[in-house]
Structure formats: structure tokens, C-alpha cells
Amino acid sequence: PLIDALLDPDASVRAAAQNALAMTFQALFVYRRLDLAATGYRSTATPDANRAAVEKVRVWWRAAKDGDW
């Protein structure tokens, strides 16, 4: 749900989702530095402008979620 919320029409929801997702990833992957901004994602950008960045997050999450961590 947090990844989906990155594309919410409301910028404040996108900002909250970005923050919550970053904190969740930090808690799950303690020894890794994950930077959502490196994907090109900006909560201030439109959902359409962020689609490619969010897809990068989705692809990474699909690969990492069931990993041995």
C-alpha cells in the first residue's frame, strides 16, 4: 500500500508515503542504505512524472521481499 500511495493524487499523501516507506525499508534492511530519491522519485512531482521511479521501487521490492534478510 505504501508503494501505491507514492502515486496518490494528493501531494501530502505522496510525501507521507515516501517518508513511511523510507522508514519501513530502513527498519527492514538495517545494514543497507536505500535512497528513494535515487530512483528519481519526488513527492512534489505529479504521479505521471513519478511512474517510472515507482516502477523501479516495485521491481526492487518484488526481488527483495522474499530474500534472505
Side-chain angles (χ1 to χ4, degrees):
L2 290 175
I3 295 172
D4 292 339
L6 294 174
L7 294 174
D8 194 89
D10 187 317
S12 62
V13 172
R14 292 192 304 270
Q18 181 181 16
N19 186 45
L21 191 59
M23 290 189 313
T24 300
F25 285 163
Q26 183 179 6
L28 291 174
F29 302 98
V30 177
Y31 299 108
R32 294 180 75 178
R33 186 180 183 290
L34 302 170
D35 183 9
L36 291 175
T39 66
Y41 183 82
R42 303 288 180 268
S43 63
T44 55
T46 65
D48 285 339
N50 279 323
R51 286 199 194 284
V54 172
E55 187 54 29
K56 289 178 188 176
V57 174
R58 283 191 177 120
V59 166
W60 177 83
W61 177 243
R62 276 189 229 111
K65 71 178 180 172
D66 296 321
D68 187 17
W69 42 275

Short mmCIF file of all heavy atoms in Angstrom, two decimals:
data_model
loop_
_atom_site.label_atom_id
_atom_site.label_comp_id
_atom_site.label_asym_id
_atom_site.label_seq_id
_atom_site.Cartn_x
_atom_site.Cartn_y
_atom_site.Cartn_z
N PRO A 1 0.80 -1.22 0.00
CA PRO A 1 0.00 0.00 0.00
C PRO A 1 0.83 1.28 0.00
O PRO A 1 0.43 2.27 -0.60
CB PRO A 1 -0.83 -0.11 1.28
CG PRO A 1 -0.81 -1.55 1.66
CD PRO A 1 0.45 -2.12 1.08
N LEU A 2 2.00 1.25 0.65
CA LEU A 2 2.83 2.46 0.66
C LEU A 2 3.40 2.76 -0.72
O LEU A 2 3.48 3.92 -1.12
CB LEU A 2 3.97 2.32 1.68
CG LEU A 2 3.56 2.36 3.15
CD1 LEU A 2 4.77 2.09 4.04
CD2 LEU A 2 2.92 3.69 3.49
N ILE A 3 3.76 1.72 -1.44
CA ILE A 3 4.28 1.94 -2.79
C ILE A 3 3.17 2.51 -3.67
O ILE A 3 3.40 3.45 -4.44
CB ILE A 3 4.88 0.65 -3.38
CG1 ILE A 3 6.12 0.23 -2.58
CG2 ILE A 3 5.25 0.85 -4.85
CD1 ILE A 3 6.70 -1.11 -2.95
N ASP A 4 1.96 1.99 -3.55
CA ASP A 4 0.83 2.52 -4.31
C ASP A 4 0.56 3.98 -3.95
O ASP A 4 0.23 4.79 -4.80
CB ASP A 4 -0.44 1.69 -4.08
CG ASP A 4 -0.35 0.30 -4.66
OD1 ASP A 4 0.49 0.08 -5.58
OD2 ASP A 4 -1.11 -0.57 -4.21
N ALA A 5 0.71 4.31 -2.66
CA ALA A 5 0.44 5.67 -2.20
C ALA A 5 1.45 6.68 -2.76
O ALA A 5 1.17 7.89 -2.76
CB ALA A 5 0.43 5.72 -0.69
N LEU A 6 2.58 6.20 -3.25
CA LEU A 6 3.54 7.12 -3.88
C LEU A 6 2.96 7.78 -5.12
O LEU A 6 3.47 8.81 -5.57
CB LEU A 6 4.82 6.36 -4.26
CG LEU A 6 5.67 5.82 -3.11
CD1 LEU A 6 6.81 4.97 -3.67
CD2 LEU A 6 6.21 6.94 -2.24
N LEU A 7 1.89 7.21 -5.66
CA LEU A 7 1.25 7.77 -6.87
C LEU A 7 -0.09 8.41 -6.56
O LEU A 7 -0.87 8.68 -7.47
CB LEU A 7 1.08 6.67 -7.92
CG LEU A 7 2.38 6.11 -8.49
CD1 LEU A 7 2.11 4.93 -9.41
CD2 LEU A 7 3.17 7.19 -9.21
N ASP A 8 -0.38 8.67 -5.30
CA ASP A 8 -1.64 9.30 -4.92
C ASP A 8 -1.76 10.69 -5.55
O ASP A 8 -0.76 11.39 -5.71
CB ASP A 8 -1.72 9.42 -3.40
CG ASP A 8 -3.12 9.74 -2.92
OD1 ASP A 8 -3.87 8.78 -2.68
OD2 ASP A 8 -3.45 10.93 -2.81
N PRO A 9 -2.97 11.09 -5.91
CA PRO A 9 -3.14 12.43 -6.48
C PRO A 9 -2.77 13.57 -5.52
O PRO A 9 -2.38 14.65 -5.96
CB PRO A 9 -4.63 12.50 -6.81
CG PRO A 9 -5.11 11.09 -6.85
CD PRO A 9 -4.21 10.32 -5.95
N ASP A 10 -2.85 13.33 -4.23
CA ASP A 10 -2.58 14.36 -3.22
C ASP A 10 -1.09 14.36 -2.85
O ASP A 10 -0.55 13.34 -2.40
CB ASP A 10 -3.43 14.08 -1.98
CG ASP A 10 -3.35 15.18 -0.94
OD1 ASP A 10 -2.23 15.68 -0.66
OD2 ASP A 10 -4.41 15.54 -0.40
N ALA A 11 -0.44 15.49 -3.02
CA ALA A 11 1.00 15.60 -2.75
C ALA A 11 1.34 15.31 -1.30
O ALA A 11 2.39 14.74 -1.00
CB ALA A 11 1.52 16.97 -3.14
N SER A 12 0.46 15.67 -0.36
CA SER A 12 0.76 15.40 1.05
C SER A 12 0.71 13.90 1.34
O SER A 12 1.48 13.41 2.17
CB SER A 12 -0.20 16.17 1.97
OG SER A 12 -1.53 15.76 1.77
N VAL A 13 -0.16 13.17 0.65
CA VAL A 13 -0.20 11.72 0.80
C VAL A 13 1.08 11.12 0.21
O VAL A 13 1.68 10.21 0.82
CB VAL A 13 -1.45 11.12 0.13
CG1 VAL A 13 -1.40 9.60 0.10
CG2 VAL A 13 -2.71 11.60 0.84
N ARG A 14 1.51 11.62 -0.94
CA ARG A 14 2.75 11.12 -1.54
C ARG A 14 3.94 11.36 -0.62
O ARG A 14 4.79 10.49 -0.44
CB ARG A 14 2.99 11.78 -2.90
CG ARG A 14 1.99 11.38 -3.96
CD ARG A 14 2.42 11.80 -5.35
NE ARG A 14 2.69 13.21 -5.52
CZ ARG A 14 1.78 14.13 -5.87
NH1 ARG A 14 0.52 13.77 -6.07
NH2 ARG A 14 2.12 15.38 -6.02
N ALA A 15 4.00 12.53 -0.01
CA ALA A 15 5.11 12.85 0.91
C ALA A 15 5.08 11.94 2.14
O ALA A 15 6.13 11.44 2.57
CB ALA A 15 5.05 14.31 1.32
N ALA A 16 3.90 11.72 2.69
CA ALA A 16 3.78 10.83 3.85
C ALA A 16 4.16 9.40 3.48
O ALA A 16 4.83 8.70 4.25
CB ALA A 16 2.36 10.90 4.42
N ALA A 17 3.73 8.96 2.31
CA ALA A 17 4.07 7.60 1.86
C ALA A 17 5.56 7.46 1.65
O ALA A 17 6.16 6.43 2.01
CB ALA A 17 3.32 7.27 0.57
N GLN A 18 6.20 8.47 1.07
CA GLN A 18 7.64 8.42 0.86
C GLN A 18 8.37 8.31 2.20
O GLN A 18 9.28 7.49 2.36
CB GLN A 18 8.11 9.66 0.10
CG GLN A 18 9.60 9.66 -0.18
CD GLN A 18 10.07 10.89 -0.92
OE1 GLN A 18 9.36 11.89 -0.98
NE2 GLN A 18 11.25 10.83 -1.49
N ASN A 19 7.97 9.10 3.15
CA ASN A 19 8.59 9.08 4.47
C ASN A 19 8.37 7.73 5.16
O ASN A 19 9.31 7.13 5.69
CB ASN A 19 8.03 10.22 5.33
CG ASN A 19 8.73 10.33 6.65
OD1 ASN A 19 9.94 10.27 6.71
ND2 ASN A 19 7.97 10.49 7.72
N ALA A 20 7.13 7.24 5.14
CA ALA A 20 6.81 5.97 5.79
C ALA A 20 7.53 4.80 5.11
O ALA A 20 8.03 3.89 5.79
CB ALA A 20 5.31 5.74 5.78
N LEU A 21 7.61 4.84 3.79
CA LEU A 21 8.29 3.76 3.07
C LEU A 21 9.79 3.78 3.37
O LEU A 21 10.40 2.72 3.59
CB LEU A 21 8.04 3.90 1.57
CG LEU A 21 8.45 2.73 0.71
CD1 LEU A 21 7.75 1.45 1.12
CD2 LEU A 21 8.14 3.03 -0.76
N ALA A 22 10.38 4.96 3.42
CA ALA A 22 11.80 5.07 3.75
C ALA A 22 12.07 4.52 5.15
O ALA A 22 13.03 3.78 5.37
CB ALA A 22 12.26 6.52 3.64
N MET A 23 11.21 4.85 6.11
CA MET A 23 11.38 4.35 7.48
C MET A 23 11.18 2.83 7.54
O MET A 23 11.89 2.14 8.27
CB MET A 23 10.43 5.07 8.43
CG MET A 23 10.81 6.51 8.65
SD MET A 23 9.90 7.37 9.96
CE MET A 23 8.21 6.96 9.65
N THR A 24 10.22 2.32 6.78
CA THR A 24 9.96 0.88 6.75
C THR A 24 11.15 0.14 6.16
O THR A 24 11.61 -0.86 6.72
CB THR A 24 8.68 0.58 5.95
OG1 THR A 24 7.58 1.25 6.58
CG2 THR A 24 8.41 -0.90 5.89
N PHE A 25 11.65 0.62 5.04
CA PHE A 25 12.82 -0.01 4.43
C PHE A 25 14.03 0.05 5.37
O PHE A 25 14.79 -0.91 5.47
CB PHE A 25 13.16 0.63 3.09
CG PHE A 25 12.26 0.25 1.96
CD1 PHE A 25 12.23 1.01 0.81
CD2 PHE A 25 11.44 -0.86 2.02
CE1 PHE A 25 11.41 0.67 -0.27
CE2 PHE A 25 10.61 -1.22 0.96
CZ PHE A 25 10.61 -0.46 -0.19
N GLN A 26 14.19 1.16 6.07
CA GLN A 26 15.32 1.30 7.00
C GLN A 26 15.20 0.27 8.13
O GLN A 26 16.19 -0.32 8.54
CB GLN A 26 15.36 2.71 7.57
CG GLN A 26 16.53 2.95 8.49
CD GLN A 26 16.56 4.37 9.02
OE1 GLN A 26 15.64 5.16 8.79
NE2 GLN A 26 17.61 4.71 9.73
N ALA A 27 13.98 0.04 8.60
CA ALA A 27 13.77 -0.94 9.67
C ALA A 27 13.97 -2.37 9.17
O ALA A 27 14.52 -3.22 9.88
CB ALA A 27 12.37 -0.78 10.26
N LEU A 28 13.54 -2.65 7.96
CA LEU A 28 13.66 -4.00 7.41
C LEU A 28 15.08 -4.33 6.95
O LEU A 28 15.53 -5.46 7.07
CB LEU A 28 12.71 -4.18 6.22
CG LEU A 28 11.22 -4.22 6.54
CD1 LEU A 28 10.41 -4.25 5.25
CD2 LEU A 28 10.89 -5.42 7.41
N PHE A 29 15.74 -3.35 6.39
CA PHE A 29 17.07 -3.55 5.81
C PHE A 29 18.07 -2.67 6.56
O PHE A 29 18.61 -1.71 6.01
CB PHE A 29 17.05 -3.22 4.32
CG PHE A 29 16.05 -4.03 3.54
CD1 PHE A 29 14.82 -3.51 3.22
CD2 PHE A 29 16.34 -5.33 3.15
CE1 PHE A 29 13.88 -4.26 2.51
CE2 PHE A 29 15.42 -6.08 2.44
CZ PHE A 29 14.20 -5.56 2.13
N VAL A 30 18.32 -3.03 7.80
CA VAL A 30 19.13 -2.21 8.70
C VAL A 30 20.52 -1.91 8.16
O VAL A 30 21.02 -0.80 8.32
CB VAL A 30 19.24 -2.92 10.08
CG1 VAL A 30 20.11 -2.13 11.03
CG2 VAL A 30 17.85 -3.14 10.66
N TYR A 31 21.12 -2.85 7.49
CA TYR A 31 22.50 -2.69 7.03
C TYR A 31 22.61 -2.21 5.59
O TYR A 31 23.70 -2.25 5.01
CB TYR A 31 23.27 -4.00 7.22
CG TYR A 31 23.32 -4.39 8.66
CD1 TYR A 31 22.58 -5.47 9.14
CD2 TYR A 31 24.08 -3.67 9.57
CE1 TYR A 31 22.61 -5.81 10.48
CE2 TYR A 31 24.12 -4.00 10.91
CZ TYR A 31 23.38 -5.07 11.36
OH TYR A 31 23.41 -5.39 12.69
N ARG A 32 21.50 -1.77 5.03
CA ARG A 32 21.53 -1.25 3.66
C ARG A 32 21.04 0.19 3.67
O ARG A 32 20.14 0.53 4.43
CB ARG A 32 20.63 -2.08 2.75
CG ARG A 32 21.15 -3.49 2.58
CD ARG A 32 20.26 -4.30 1.70
NE ARG A 32 20.45 -3.91 0.32
CZ ARG A 32 19.83 -4.50 -0.70
NH1 ARG A 32 18.99 -5.48 -0.48
NH2 ARG A 32 20.05 -4.11 -1.93
N ARG A 33 21.60 1.00 2.83
CA ARG A 33 21.14 2.38 2.69
C ARG A 33 20.31 2.44 1.42
O ARG A 33 20.83 2.33 0.32
CB ARG A 33 22.32 3.34 2.58
CG ARG A 33 21.88 4.78 2.58
CD ARG A 33 23.09 5.69 2.45
NE ARG A 33 22.79 7.09 2.51
CZ ARG A 33 22.16 7.78 1.58
NH1 ARG A 33 21.74 7.18 0.50
NH2 ARG A 33 21.96 9.08 1.70
N LEU A 34 19.00 2.60 1.61
CA LEU A 34 18.09 2.66 0.47
C LEU A 34 17.62 4.11 0.31
O LEU A 34 17.09 4.70 1.24
CB LEU A 34 16.90 1.73 0.70
CG LEU A 34 17.31 0.26 0.92
CD1 LEU A 34 16.11 -0.54 1.38
CD2 LEU A 34 17.90 -0.31 -0.34
N ASP A 35 17.81 4.64 -0.87
CA ASP A 35 17.50 6.05 -1.14
C ASP A 35 16.45 6.14 -2.23
O ASP A 35 16.76 5.92 -3.41
CB ASP A 35 18.79 6.77 -1.53
CG ASP A 35 18.59 8.25 -1.77
OD1 ASP A 35 17.51 8.78 -1.46
OD2 ASP A 35 19.53 8.88 -2.25
N LEU A 36 15.21 6.45 -1.85
CA LEU A 36 14.14 6.55 -2.84
C LEU A 36 14.40 7.66 -3.86
O LEU A 36 14.01 7.54 -5.01
CB LEU A 36 12.79 6.78 -2.15
CG LEU A 36 12.24 5.61 -1.35
CD1 LEU A 36 10.96 6.02 -0.62
CD2 LEU A 36 11.97 4.42 -2.25
N ALA A 37 15.05 8.70 -3.42
CA ALA A 37 15.35 9.81 -4.34
C ALA A 37 16.25 9.36 -5.49
O ALA A 37 16.20 9.91 -6.59
CB ALA A 37 15.97 10.97 -3.59
N ALA A 38 17.07 8.33 -5.25
CA ALA A 38 17.96 7.83 -6.30
C ALA A 38 17.18 7.22 -7.46
O ALA A 38 17.71 7.10 -8.56
CB ALA A 38 18.92 6.79 -5.72
N THR A 39 15.92 6.85 -7.24
CA THR A 39 15.09 6.33 -8.33
C THR A 39 14.55 7.43 -9.21
O THR A 39 14.02 7.17 -10.27
CB THR A 39 13.88 5.55 -7.76
OG1 THR A 39 13.02 6.46 -7.07
CG2 THR A 39 14.31 4.42 -6.87
N GLY A 40 14.69 8.68 -8.75
CA GLY A 40 14.11 9.80 -9.47
C GLY A 40 12.78 10.23 -8.89
O GLY A 40 12.15 11.17 -9.39
N TYR A 41 12.34 9.57 -7.81
CA TYR A 41 11.05 9.89 -7.20
C TYR A 41 11.11 11.22 -6.46
O TYR A 41 12.05 11.49 -5.72
CB TYR A 41 10.61 8.80 -6.23
CG TYR A 41 9.25 9.09 -5.65
CD1 TYR A 41 8.11 8.78 -6.36
CD2 TYR A 41 9.12 9.72 -4.43
CE1 TYR A 41 6.86 9.09 -5.87
CE2 TYR A 41 7.87 10.03 -3.93
CZ TYR A 41 6.74 9.71 -4.65
OH TYR A 41 5.50 10.03 -4.16
N ARG A 42 10.09 12.03 -6.65
CA ARG A 42 9.92 13.30 -5.93
C ARG A 42 8.45 13.40 -5.54
O ARG A 42 7.58 13.38 -6.42
CB ARG A 42 10.29 14.50 -6.79
CG ARG A 42 11.69 14.49 -7.36
CD ARG A 42 12.73 14.77 -6.26
NE ARG A 42 14.08 14.76 -6.80
CZ ARG A 42 14.86 13.70 -6.85
NH1 ARG A 42 14.44 12.54 -6.44
NH2 ARG A 42 16.09 13.78 -7.31
N SER A 43 8.16 13.51 -4.27
CA SER A 43 6.77 13.60 -3.83
C SER A 43 6.09 14.86 -4.35
O SER A 43 4.87 14.90 -4.47
CB SER A 43 6.67 13.54 -2.30
OG SER A 43 7.32 14.64 -1.71
N THR A 44 6.87 15.86 -4.71
CA THR A 44 6.31 17.10 -5.23
C THR A 44 5.99 17.01 -6.73
O THR A 44 5.30 17.87 -7.26
CB THR A 44 7.27 18.28 -5.00
OG1 THR A 44 8.55 17.95 -5.56
CG2 THR A 44 7.43 18.56 -3.51
N ALA A 45 6.50 15.99 -7.38
CA ALA A 45 6.21 15.79 -8.82
C ALA A 45 4.83 15.14 -8.98
O ALA A 45 4.29 14.55 -8.04
CB ALA A 45 7.28 14.93 -9.46
N THR A 46 4.29 15.22 -10.16
CA THR A 46 2.99 14.62 -10.42
C THR A 46 3.10 13.09 -10.44
O THR A 46 4.18 12.55 -10.70
CB THR A 46 2.42 15.07 -11.77
OG1 THR A 46 3.27 14.56 -12.81
CG2 THR A 46 2.32 16.59 -11.86
N PRO A 47 1.98 12.42 -10.19
CA PRO A 47 2.01 10.96 -10.27
C PRO A 47 2.53 10.46 -11.62
O PRO A 47 3.31 9.51 -11.68
CB PRO A 47 0.55 10.55 -10.04
CG PRO A 47 0.02 11.64 -9.16
CD PRO A 47 0.69 12.89 -9.68
N ASP A 48 2.12 11.11 -12.70
CA ASP A 48 2.60 10.69 -14.02
C ASP A 48 4.12 10.84 -14.15
O ASP A 48 4.79 9.98 -14.74
CB ASP A 48 1.91 11.48 -15.13
CG ASP A 48 0.49 11.03 -15.36
OD1 ASP A 48 0.15 9.88 -14.99
OD2 ASP A 48 -0.30 11.82 -15.91
N ALA A 49 4.66 11.89 -13.58
CA ALA A 49 6.11 12.11 -13.65
C ALA A 49 6.87 11.10 -12.79
O ALA A 49 8.04 10.83 -13.05
CB ALA A 49 6.44 13.53 -13.19
N ASN A 50 6.20 10.53 -11.81
CA ASN A 50 6.85 9.58 -10.89
C ASN A 50 6.65 8.12 -11.26
O ASN A 50 7.19 7.24 -10.60
CB ASN A 50 6.31 9.80 -9.47
CG ASN A 50 6.98 10.96 -8.78
OD1 ASN A 50 8.16 11.20 -8.96
ND2 ASN A 50 6.22 11.68 -7.99
N ARG A 51 5.88 7.83 -12.28
CA ARG A 51 5.55 6.43 -12.59
C ARG A 51 6.79 5.55 -12.82
O ARG A 51 6.86 4.44 -12.31
CB ARG A 51 4.63 6.34 -13.79
CG ARG A 51 3.23 6.77 -13.45
CD ARG A 51 2.18 6.31 -14.41
NE ARG A 51 0.95 7.04 -14.16
CZ ARG A 51 0.13 6.81 -13.14
NH1 ARG A 51 0.40 5.85 -12.29
NH2 ARG A 51 -0.97 7.52 -12.96
N ALA A 52 7.75 6.04 -13.55
CA ALA A 52 8.95 5.24 -13.82
C ALA A 52 9.73 4.98 -12.53
O ALA A 52 10.22 3.87 -12.31
CB ALA A 52 9.83 5.94 -14.85
N ALA A 53 9.83 5.98 -11.68
CA ALA A 53 10.54 5.82 -10.41
C ALA A 53 9.83 4.81 -9.51
O ALA A 53 10.47 3.95 -8.89
CB ALA A 53 10.66 7.16 -9.70
N VAL A 54 8.51 4.89 -9.45
CA VAL A 54 7.74 3.96 -8.61
C VAL A 54 7.85 2.54 -9.16
O VAL A 54 7.95 1.58 -8.39
CB VAL A 54 6.27 4.42 -8.48
CG1 VAL A 54 5.42 3.37 -7.79
CG2 VAL A 54 6.20 5.74 -7.72
N GLU A 55 7.91 2.40 -10.46
CA GLU A 55 8.09 1.08 -11.05
C GLU A 55 9.44 0.49 -10.65
O GLU A 55 9.55 -0.71 -10.39
CB GLU A 55 7.94 1.11 -12.57
CG GLU A 55 7.95 -0.25 -13.21
CD GLU A 55 6.92 -1.24 -12.66
OE1 GLU A 55 5.85 -0.83 -12.19
OE2 GLU A 55 7.20 -2.46 -12.69
N LYS A 56 10.48 1.32 -10.58
CA LYS A 56 11.79 0.84 -10.11
C LYS A 56 11.69 0.33 -8.68
O LYS A 56 12.28 -0.70 -8.34
CB LYS A 56 12.82 1.97 -10.16
CG LYS A 56 13.23 2.37 -11.55
CD LYS A 56 14.20 3.52 -11.49
CE LYS A 56 14.48 4.07 -12.88
NZ LYS A 56 15.36 5.24 -12.83
N VAL A 57 10.94 1.03 -7.83
CA VAL A 57 10.75 0.60 -6.44
C VAL A 57 10.01 -0.73 -6.41
O VAL A 57 10.38 -1.65 -5.68
CB VAL A 57 10.00 1.67 -5.62
CG1 VAL A 57 9.67 1.16 -4.23
CG2 VAL A 57 10.80 2.96 -5.56
N ARG A 58 8.95 -0.85 -7.22
CA ARG A 58 8.18 -2.09 -7.27
C ARG A 58 9.04 -3.28 -7.72
O ARG A 58 8.97 -4.36 -7.14
CB ARG A 58 6.99 -1.93 -8.21
CG ARG A 58 5.86 -1.17 -7.61
CD ARG A 58 4.62 -1.29 -8.49
NE ARG A 58 3.54 -0.59 -7.85
CZ ARG A 58 2.88 0.44 -8.35
NH1 ARG A 58 3.18 0.87 -9.56
NH2 ARG A 58 1.90 1.01 -7.69
N VAL A 59 9.84 -3.08 -8.75
CA VAL A 59 10.70 -4.15 -9.26
C VAL A 59 11.69 -4.57 -8.17
O VAL A 59 11.89 -5.75 -7.92
CB VAL A 59 11.42 -3.71 -10.55
CG1 VAL A 59 12.55 -4.65 -10.91
CG2 VAL A 59 10.43 -3.60 -11.69
N TRP A 60 12.31 -3.59 -7.52
CA TRP A 60 13.26 -3.90 -6.46
C TRP A 60 12.55 -4.65 -5.33
O TRP A 60 13.06 -5.64 -4.82
CB TRP A 60 13.92 -2.62 -5.94
CG TRP A 60 14.83 -2.93 -4.81
CD1 TRP A 60 16.12 -3.37 -4.91
CD2 TRP A 60 14.51 -2.92 -3.43
NE1 TRP A 60 16.62 -3.60 -3.64
CE2 TRP A 60 15.64 -3.34 -2.72
CE3 TRP A 60 13.37 -2.58 -2.71
CZ2 TRP A 60 15.68 -3.42 -1.34
CZ3 TRP A 60 13.38 -2.67 -1.34
CH2 TRP A 60 14.53 -3.09 -0.66
N TRP A 61 11.39 -4.17 -4.91
CA TRP A 61 10.67 -4.80 -3.80
C TRP A 61 10.28 -6.24 -4.13
O TRP A 61 10.40 -7.13 -3.29
CB TRP A 61 9.46 -3.98 -3.40
CG TRP A 61 8.67 -4.63 -2.30
CD1 TRP A 61 7.38 -5.07 -2.37
CD2 TRP A 61 9.10 -4.93 -0.98
NE1 TRP A 61 7.00 -5.62 -1.18
CE2 TRP A 61 8.05 -5.55 -0.30
CE3 TRP A 61 10.31 -4.75 -0.30
CZ2 TRP A 61 8.14 -5.99 1.01
CZ3 TRP A 61 10.40 -5.18 1.02
CH2 TRP A 61 9.32 -5.79 1.65
N ARG A 62 9.82 -6.48 -5.35
CA ARG A 62 9.47 -7.85 -5.74
C ARG A 62 10.67 -8.78 -5.60
O ARG A 62 10.54 -9.92 -5.18
CB ARG A 62 8.94 -7.89 -7.17
CG ARG A 62 7.47 -7.58 -7.26
CD ARG A 62 6.96 -7.85 -8.69
NE ARG A 62 6.21 -6.68 -9.11
CZ ARG A 62 6.56 -5.81 -10.03
NH1 ARG A 62 7.65 -5.93 -10.71
NH2 ARG A 62 5.81 -4.78 -10.32
N ALA A 63 11.84 -8.30 -5.94
CA ALA A 63 13.05 -9.12 -5.86
C ALA A 63 13.55 -9.25 -4.42
O ALA A 63 14.07 -10.30 -4.04
CB ALA A 63 14.15 -8.51 -6.73
N ALA A 64 13.40 -8.22 -3.60
CA ALA A 64 13.97 -8.21 -2.26
C ALA A 64 13.05 -8.77 -1.19
O ALA A 64 13.53 -9.28 -0.18
CB ALA A 64 14.36 -6.78 -1.90
N LYS A 65 11.75 -8.69 -1.38
CA LYS A 65 10.82 -9.02 -0.28
C LYS A 65 10.92 -10.46 0.22
O LYS A 65 10.70 -10.71 1.40
CB LYS A 65 9.39 -8.70 -0.67
CG LYS A 65 8.80 -9.63 -1.71
CD LYS A 65 7.37 -9.26 -2.00
CE LYS A 65 6.80 -10.22 -3.03
NZ LYS A 65 5.39 -10.02 -3.21
N ASP A 66 11.24 -11.38 -0.63
CA ASP A 66 11.33 -12.78 -0.22
C ASP A 66 12.78 -13.24 -0.06
O ASP A 66 13.02 -14.42 0.11
CB ASP A 66 10.61 -13.67 -1.24
CG ASP A 66 9.12 -13.38 -1.27
OD1 ASP A 66 8.52 -13.13 -0.20
OD2 ASP A 66 8.54 -13.41 -2.37
N GLY A 67 13.69 -12.29 -0.12
CA GLY A 67 15.10 -12.63 0.01
C GLY A 67 15.47 -13.06 1.42
O GLY A 67 14.68 -12.91 2.37
N ASP A 68 16.65 -13.53 1.58
CA ASP A 68 17.15 -13.95 2.89
C ASP A 68 17.76 -12.73 3.59
O ASP A 68 18.94 -12.47 3.49
CB ASP A 68 18.20 -15.04 2.70
CG ASP A 68 18.65 -15.64 4.01
OD1 ASP A 68 17.94 -15.45 5.02
OD2 ASP A 68 19.70 -16.30 4.02
N TRP A 69 16.94 -12.01 4.30
CA TRP A 69 17.41 -10.84 5.02
C TRP A 69 16.94 -10.90 6.42
O TRP A 69 17.29 -10.29 7.30
CB TRP A 69 16.97 -9.53 4.37
CG TRP A 69 15.57 -9.47 3.86
CD1 TRP A 69 15.13 -9.90 2.63
CD2 TRP A 69 14.41 -8.99 4.53
NE1 TRP A 69 13.79 -9.70 2.50
CE2 TRP A 69 13.31 -9.14 3.63
CE3 TRP A 69 14.17 -8.44 5.75
CZ2 TRP A 69 12.01 -8.76 3.95
CZ3 TRP A 69 12.87 -8.06 6.07
CH2 TRP A 69 11.82 -8.21 5.18
#
